[in-house]
Amino acid sequence: MSVADARRDVAPGPTTLLVIAKEPLPGLVKTRLTPPFTPAEAAQLAEAALSDTLRTALSLPARRRVLVLDGRPGPWLPPGIEVVAQCTGRLDERLAAAFGGCAGPALLIGMDTPQITAADLAPAFSPDAWDGCDAWFGPADDGGFWALGLAAPAPDLVRGVPMSTPETGAVQRRRLVDAGLTVRDLPPLRDVDTAADAAHVAAAAPHGLFASTLARLTGAACR
């Protein structure tokens, strides 16, 4: 069954799925993978990670699937994904703007966890996902977060949270709790930032495009 067929078999729920990402261009994405990878190779891994993420997005019963993109779409973009441009500013401002463009429940993920599966996100897209729940939170192993869902998107819940620090996830979750929201947690996942992260994530999802791209690149380096 193709991804398009699978998508037609999934009844949409009330939740918009947001994927925030950069266009996978050499020198602009996954710079912490360089070295050992070249900028062009890091961009190939970023494209594979984004492709795997969007494939999972298409399998979820989302009301809308929106790529919030810094850059331009490429041949890696499958049908069924809307594209909106990221605003300028710090990452917290860009995340806040992404939520601000939604009406109704929304859940945001990035392109750094290509190992995500529909099962990882299933609790947040189940028929009772928002019963007695105001927010979903997916912690990342590095102290950040890989998923954030809000029943009533409120940009101020994200704006001002310090990003890319070991405390980012804790600060963001505390912001939700301090606002009086009932928060449910998704399983922790590891972001792809370094070569060690890439190897770990590929091993967790050995059948994805990210894993095969990593195997091709590391195999080429060994020859």
Side-chain angles (χ1 to χ4, degrees):
M1 180 183 292
S2 70
V3 172
D5 290 336
R7 188 170 68 251
R8 283 193 292 268
D9 290 341
V10 176
T15 304
T16 294
L17 177 62
L18 302 167
V19 180
I20 191 161
K22 290 183 178 181
E23 181 183 0
L25 295 175
L28 297 180
V29 291
K30 295 296 165 210
T31 54
R32 289 176 62 187
L33 292 176
T34 306
F37 299 100
T38 67
E41 290 171 338
Q44 291 178 50
L45 288 167
E47 181 174 331
L50 182 53
S51 295
D52 282 344
T53 301
L54 294 178
R55 183 178 180 86
T56 296
L58 288 170
S59 72
L60 290 162
R63 184 169 70 89
R64 298 169 59 207
R65 301 166 186 85
V66 182
L67 176 63
V68 186
L69 183 63
D70 177 1
R72 296 180 295 178
W76 40 263
L77 180 70
I81 303 287
E82 302 175 42
V83 179
V84 300
Q86 282 187 36
C87 74
T88 58
R90 302 185 308 268
L91 178 56
D92 62 302
E93 294 169 339
R94 287 179 273 141
L95 298 183
F99 279 111
C102 296
L107 186 136
L108 182 143
I109 61 175
M111 60 184 286
D112 295 338
T113 50
Q115 74 273 37
I116 59 168
T117 65
D120 291 325
L121 287 166
F125 285 89
S126 66
D128 61 351
W130 302 105
D131 291 352
C133 175
D134 304 304
W136 286 92
F137 184 78
D141 288 352
D142 62 1
F145 60 91
W146 66 269
L148 177 63
L150 297 171
D156 285 344
L157 290 172
V158 183
R159 190 176 289 116
V161 172
M163 296 288 160
S164 303
T165 77
E167 293 78 36
T168 294
V171 173
Q172 179 62 78
R173 197 181 190 288
R174 175 54 57 187
R175 177 78 68 88
L176 303 175
V177 173
D178 287 349
L181 304 187
T182 300
V183 183
R184 293 179 184 167
D185 292 305
L186 294 166
L189 292 178
R190 185 165 175 173
D191 287 337
V192 174
D193 290 319
T194 67
D197 295 332
H200 177 92
V201 167
H207 303 298
L209 181 60
F210 183 84
S212 62
T213 301
L214 181 66
R216 173 174 57 79
L217 294 175
T218 55
C222 293
R223 289 199 293 268

